[in-house]
Amino acid sequence: MAAGPFVIQTVARAGERPRFRMPDFFYGGQALIEGVMMRGRTTVVMSVRPPSGEIVTFSEPLPAALRNGRLIKVPFLRGMFVLYETLILGTRMLMRSASLAAEGEDIQISRGMMVGTMIFSVGLAVGIFFVLPLFLSTFAQGITESDLLANLAEGGIRLVVFIAYIALIGTMGEIKRVFAYHGAEHKAISAHEAQRPLTPVEVDRFSTAHTRCGTTFLLIVVVISIFFFGLIPREGVPLWALFMSRIVLVPIIASFSYELVRFGASHYGNRVVRAIYQPGLWLQSLTTRPPDHGMLEVSIASLESCLTSDRTAAGTPSEPTADVVDPTIGILP
């Protein structure tokens, strides 16, 4: 999920020194099964290409708390809202897109199904990326008496597991297509932020990497967790208590990472800050693939729907442009 102010757009003419500016609004998105989700100011939109071949687009208003709630502006608390948006909205749209891609029909996600999926997904993620590294690091603890070294070993294992997991799932055929839609999402958002026409040919000129990518955010979370967990003593602490400390601290680490990224965005003109972001861009080579023009059409359809909804909400008339991709797109409430 590319959500939150993680980037400042480069604006410079040929021969000039690069300059940076903040986009007016940070549109974000997420790759789906044969589709793309985009998050605008007022709506969240899902565009999917089912087996029939046409692009189908669904739009729904964002919850009021995510549009203009006061808490969404409070430092550290706003990171929790980003997690909610990523987990709840992203998972629900992913499940709907899977149904559309397989059978061409949308499904209504029940609360029980949603809760069950969330518990399983979050539990699996916490188990793989936090509990498993802690368990493996107990062997290092038996070699060294230093809590700090054992915690650093845990952090190193977590980083290796994270990268290995991404590289492994990237070899699967279906995931490769999801990663290609991930690249299509990045290209569309980059073209919009560069104020270029949203056509497949123009959008395809942009890179599949984007500094506001959720991959970059997750990498920051993994790195920051090394510092947080490095301060927790191990000597005399039961293993179950160490497990619980990892689980409890996950939301706090994510919120801290979000604020750190916001700070980096406001100082992106600094070369050191850009160098810090670079590993995240490198890692995106594992989570994105070059999309074809059909995938770009889907990402453009989703983004265009967000832009249209935002112009309507702001009272700005929508002007027809060449950005319209497919006349058969259906906008459903």
Side-chain angles (χ1 to χ4, degrees), residues 125-142 147 149-159 161 225 229-230 232-235 237-249:
V126 171
I128 293 176
F129 301 118
F130 289 92
V131 177
L132 177 61
L134 174 61
F135 174 76
L136 294 178
S137 68
T138 57
F139 297 101
Q141 189 175 3
D147 288 350
L149 291 179
N151 286 329
L152 290 178
E154 176 192 348
I157 294 172
R158 181 175 298 109
L159 184 60
V161 169
S225 69
F229 298 150
I232 298 178
R234 288 180 175 236
E235 185 66 29
V237 180
L239 189 60
W240 67 265
L242 291 176
F243 284 151
M244 290 303 300
S245 71
R246 271 50 178 174
I247 297 173
V248 170
L249 285 176

Side-chain angles (χ1 to χ4, degrees), residues 7 17 29 65 78 90-91 95 97 107 117 132 137 155 158 171 177 208 225-226 244 247 256 258 270 287:
V7 68
R17 184 176 181 179
R78 55 193 172 193
T91 300
M95 295 172 67
S97 71
I107 60 173
T117 302
L132 177 61
S137 68
R158 181 175 298 109
T171 63
R177 290 193 61 81
T208 58
S225 69
I226 297 176
M244 290 303 300
I247 297 173
F256 184 86
Y258 182 77
N270 187 289
T287 63

Side-chain angles (χ1 to χ4, degrees), residues 169-178:
I169 65 173
T171 63
M172 303 176 184
E174 290 298 323
I175 300 300
K176 286 181 179 179
R177 290 193 61 81
V178 173

Side-chain angles (χ1 to χ4, degrees), residues 26-316:
F26 293 97
Y27 284 88
Q30 175 180 323
L32 304 174
I33 306 299
E34 296 300 326
V36 171
M37 183 190 81
M38 291 287 184
R39 193 268 203 203
R41 299 174 188 265
T42 59
T43 58
V44 58
V45 178
M46 175 184 73
S47 290
V48 178
R49 193 185 294 277
S52 56
E54 80 281 4
I55 300 176
V56 180
T57 299
F58 298 87
S59 175
E60 63 181 55
L62 284 169
L66 294 178
R67 292 199 310 269
N68 48 25
R70 293 182 178 180
L71 295 180
I72 196 68
K73 301 177 182 179
V74 178
F76 295 100
L77 282 181
R78 55 193 172 193
M80 301 291 184
F81 284 92
V82 172
L83 281 177
Y84 166 83
E85 181 178 338
T86 301
L87 294 174
I88 303 298
L89 296 181
T91 300
R92 181 157 54 85
M93 291 297 183
L94 186 64
M95 295 172 67
R96 293 178 64 183
S97 71
S99 175
L100 275 168
E103 304 177 5
E105 296 182 1
D106 188 29
I107 60 173
Q108 296 298 322
I109 309 300
S110 67
R111 183 178 297 272
M113 182 186 299
M114 190 66 201
V115 172
T117 302
M118 289 298 306
I119 292 176
F120 175 78
S121 300
V122 173
L124 182 64
V126 171
I128 293 176
F129 301 118
F130 289 92
V131 177
L132 177 61
L134 174 61
F135 174 76
L136 294 178
S137 68
T138 57
F139 297 101
Q141 189 175 3
I143 298 175
T144 176
E145 296 181 357
S146 172
D147 288 350
L148 177 60
L149 291 179
N151 286 329
L152 290 178
E154 176 192 348
I157 294 172
R158 181 175 298 109
L159 184 60
V160 171
V161 169
F162 174 62
I163 296 175
Y165 174 82
I166 292 177
L168 179 62
I169 65 173
T171 63
M172 303 176 184
E174 290 298 323
I175 300 300
K176 286 181 179 179
R177 290 193 61 81
V178 173
F179 284 175
Y181 276 104
H182 189 195
E185 170 225 330
H186 285 181
K187 284 175 175 280
I189 292 176
S190 295
H192 170 69
E193 291 178 344
Q195 301 176 351
R196 301 302 301 167
L198 295 181
T199 62
V201 173
E202 187 68 31
V203 169
D204 202 20
R205 298 175 185 271
F206 290 84
S207 171
T208 58
H210 196 294
T211 49
R212 200 164 67 245
C213 177
T215 305
T216 301
F217 173 71
L218 290 176
L219 179 61
I220 293 175
V221 169
V222 171
V223 173
I224 293 299
S225 69
I226 297 176
F227 295 96
F228 270 78
F229 298 150
L231 301 176
I232 298 178
R234 288 180 175 236
E235 185 66 29
V237 180
L239 189 60
W240 67 265
L242 291 176
F243 284 151
M244 290 303 300
S245 71
R246 271 50 178 174
I247 297 173
V248 170
L249 285 176
V250 168
I252 299 175
I253 292 172
S255 295
F256 184 86
S257 300
Y258 182 77
E259 295 303 322
L260 183 63
V261 170
R262 288 184 64 99
F263 174 83
S266 62
H267 296 83
Y268 200 74
N270 187 289
R271 293 182 179 180
V272 175
V273 173
R274 294 201 301 275
I276 293 174
Y277 275 81
Q278 192 59 45
L281 298 178
W282 292 335
L283 189 61
Q284 288 177 49
S285 64
L286 297 178
T287 63
T288 61
R289 298 289 187 275
D292 57 37
H293 278 205
M295 295 174 176
L296 292 175
E297 289 175 355
V298 175
S299 65
I300 292 171
S302 186
L303 181 56
E304 275 290 349
S305 180
C306 276
L307 294 173
T308 300
S309 297
D310 288 346
R311 285 192 293 262
T312 301
T316 303

